[in-house]
Amino acid sequence: MWWFFRIISSSLFLLTIVLSIPISFDVGGRDSGLAYSLSLFAFYLLYSSIKLATPETSRIRWTFSKFLQSSQWVVIPALLIWSLHNFAVDANSTDWVSRTIGGLGSRKHSTWSDWFFGNGGLVESVTLGGWDKTLRYSSPIFQLAEGFCTLLVIQAAGQISRWLVNRGRSDTWVLILLIVSASIIASSVYFLWRIALFPSINNVDATLIGVTVTSAFFLCAIGIGNGRGNPVESSLLFAYVVLCVYQIFTDYAQSPEAQSVAAEQAANQPEFPPLPPIIMASYSTLLHLFSLLPSAVYSSLSFLHAAFQTIAPSVMISLVYRLIVFYCATRIIPAVRESGARALMQEPSLDDSDDANRLLGILSWFSPSILIAVYTSLLLQHFSASDGDEGWTLRHGDGGGNTWRWVNVAATMGLYAIELYLGSDDADGGLVSHWKTD
């Protein structure tokens, strides 16, 4: 029963982080968002360090961990209010550009203490500036780590599919896995067709896409042909390559030309109900029931909708994908390698004989801090300031990092090629060797 409460608590924590960090950027500006994310990072880094440095049976560990775990629901809103109060850009301050890039010499401080510790002082500038630079220089590392974790998940899926085929009823599982693999490849081809229609693609981009897709196709075919890969691995690798290419050339938002064409088509179409009358009647009834909810619930739903509207679609998709592959790499794969599916709910251990599992265990201990750093880095890629009424936004910035996305695609395919070259022909070895059937 405790696992259910752990899932609920983790989901609430994730929702709180996902909504509060963009709110700090959108309401208070860049300095406020950086201060809030840095304070959250430090809090959860302290929490993870205490749990890691003390033995499991220690009463000091139990006391501190329970206190910090219980106080996080007070600490998170308190840190948000603190950052908005001390670092937000308001009407009485200078304009956004002056506050963001103005030097220390442009601010007048009455005392050395104020110059060093005060608002806009040396400590604030160095701390926020260092955190900003760290996140910007860490973006390539996060991108490459995404590809590495994705490759681990792909290999795990391929080896588990081998075990499913070899455990009995192989014809049924072969048919199911072939259907799944074909569906993944068909979806990837559809998005490749979508990429070909993008107006921003030039000759160089088309050449890179052609080389990448062709290399992925032949790499997948070689893996299936020599028996060291399988259709599941190949389809997932091809889908990841297409996903990376798709993220390079789009922000998951319609271009102004596409929006004008869609509006023109909608204006020329007759006003028919979008769904059958029985479904529309149920929809109207559901809206009426929502209108009868208490005003607090309605206001909360409106707040959640407005908060999610501040986040660019590409940020949410990248965050969700990185969370999935990171969780699989740090929890599911080591657990399955050691003791099967029963270990999925166990905490990672640092007493592992495998160096790779020990490293993944350390990363899992610091996963809240890593989540905050990755999410803030994604938000900063889409943060832009202007002199207009809007001031700044999290949706119109240049995502950037396209060079490192290409490097990530090449590195992922290169690692998979090395794995195919050095891998063993034993289909039952490695990940699921403890699942062999008599």
Side-chain angles (χ1 to χ4, degrees):
M1 188 62 181
W2 287 108
W3 62 269
F4 178 75
F5 291 103
R6 289 179 59 186
I7 292 176
I8 296 297
S9 176
S10 301
S11 302
L12 291 176
F13 161 75
L14 183 61
L15 180 63
T16 304
I17 297 299
V18 167
L19 294 180
S20 61
I21 295 180
I23 286 176
S24 63
F25 276 100
D26 190 66
V27 175
R30 189 187 190 90
D31 290 350
S32 178
L34 287 173
Y36 177 61
S37 64
L38 178 59
S39 59
L40 279 180
F41 178 85
F43 173 76
Y44 284 104
L45 184 65
L46 174 64
Y47 174 60
S48 302
S49 301
I50 291 176
K51 291 183 64 177
L52 189 62
T54 54
E56 295 183 2
T57 58
S58 174
R59 293 184 178 181
I60 298 178
R61 171 183 177 174
W62 186 89
T63 303
F64 274 97
S65 62
K66 290 301 180 182
F67 173 75
L68 294 177
Q69 186 177 3
S70 302
S71 63
Q72 65 179 340
W73 306 112
V74 179
V75 171
I76 292 177
L79 291 177
L80 178 60
I81 296 173
W82 168 79
S83 63
L84 292 176
H85 175 72
N86 291 281
F87 300 95
V89 178
D90 52 31
N92 296 325
S93 65
T94 58
D95 61 354
W96 171 256
V97 177
S98 300
R99 180 176 174 85
T100 303
I101 64 176
L104 291 174
S106 62
R107 299 184 177 93
K108 296 181 179 180
H109 301 280
S110 58
T111 61
W112 282 99
S113 177
D114 188 28
W115 180 84
F116 196 81
F117 296 105
N119 187 16
L122 180 62
V123 173
E124 176 185 326
S125 300
V126 171
T127 303
L128 296 185
W131 178 239
D132 187 13
K133 294 296 183 182
T134 301
L135 293 176
R136 288 191 175 276
Y137 290 137
S138 299
S139 296
I141 299 176
F142 296 149
Q143 189 71 47
L144 296 176
E146 172 194 309
F148 179 73
C149 293
T150 300
L151 189 58
L152 291 179
V153 174
I154 290 173
Q155 291 178 334
Q159 294 185 3
I160 291 175
S161 65
R162 293 190 185 99
W163 174 75
L164 291 175
V165 171
N166 295 331
R167 67 185 293 268
R169 296 183 179 179
S170 59
D171 295 338
T172 302
W173 278 113
V174 166
L175 181 61
I176 293 174
L177 294 175
L178 284 177
I179 292 174
V180 172
S181 302
S183 302
I184 294 174
I185 293 176
S187 302
S188 303
V189 172
Y190 166 75
F191 282 102
L192 273 179
W193 172 76
R194 290 285 302 274
I195 293 172
L197 300 179
F198 290 162
S200 60
I201 296 180
N202 53 34
N203 293 333
V204 177
D205 296 333
T207 302
L208 289 174
I209 293 174
V211 171
T212 302
V213 174
T214 304
S215 302
F217 175 79
F218 280 103
L219 186 62
C220 297
I222 291 172
I224 296 176
N226 62 15
R228 295 178 179 177
N230 57 37
V232 174
E233 286 185 7
S234 300
S235 61
L236 291 176
L237 179 65
F238 187 77
Y240 179 66
V241 170
V242 174
L243 173 64
C244 292
V245 174
Y246 195 84
Q247 289 179 331
I248 290 173
F249 296 102
T250 183
D251 200 23
Y252 299 96
Q254 285 185 328
S255 62
E257 296 82 2
Q259 291 178 358
S260 61
V261 171
E264 183 179 354
Q265 291 178 353
N268 295 332
Q269 289 181 353
E271 295 185 359
F272 290 114
L275 295 172
I278 185 172
I279 299 180
M280 292 301 297
S282 302
Y283 176 71
S284 302
T285 304
L286 184 62
L287 290 180
H288 178 69
L289 291 177
F290 276 124
S291 65
L292 298 178
L293 292 175
S295 58
V297 177
Y298 188 78
S299 300
S300 301
L301 295 177
S302 300
F303 170 77
L304 290 176
H305 178 264
F308 277 111
Q309 288 299 109
T310 63
I311 310 172
S314 60
V315 173
M316 288 301 302
I317 294 174
S318 299
L319 177 66
V320 171
Y321 180 79
R322 290 182 179 182
L323 283 178
I324 292 174
V325 296
F326 178 74
Y327 181 84
C328 292
T330 56
R331 282 294 187 89
I332 295 178
I333 295 175
V336 170
R337 288 182 63 181
E338 291 298 325
S339 54
R342 292 172 298 179
L344 292 181
M345 300 307 298
Q346 297 178 0
E347 291 291 338
S349 175
L350 300 181
D351 299 330
D352 204 301
S353 59
D354 192 347
D355 293 337
N357 284 358
R358 190 181 298 112
L359 175 61
L360 294 175
I362 293 175
L363 293 178
S364 179
W365 278 100
F366 293 97
S367 57
S369 301
I370 296 175
L371 165 65
I372 294 169
V374 171
Y375 188 35
T376 308
S377 176
L378 289 172
L379 290 174
L380 286 175
Q381 293 176 14
H382 294 266
F383 188 91
S384 64
S386 63
D387 295 331
D389 296 335
E390 193 174 31
W392 58 84
T393 179
L394 289 170
R395 298 179 65 90
H396 298 159
D398 183 12
N402 289 340
T403 302
W404 286 105
R405 287 192 176 100
W406 285 117
V407 172
N408 175 44
V409 173
T412 303
M413 292 193 297
L415 287 176
Y416 187 71
I418 295 173
E419 178 67 22
L420 292 180
Y421 179 75
L422 300 177
S424 173
D425 293 329
D426 183 12
D428 292 328
L431 181 69
V432 290
S433 59
H434 62 281
W435 278 349
K436 286 183 180 179
T437 54
D438 296 331

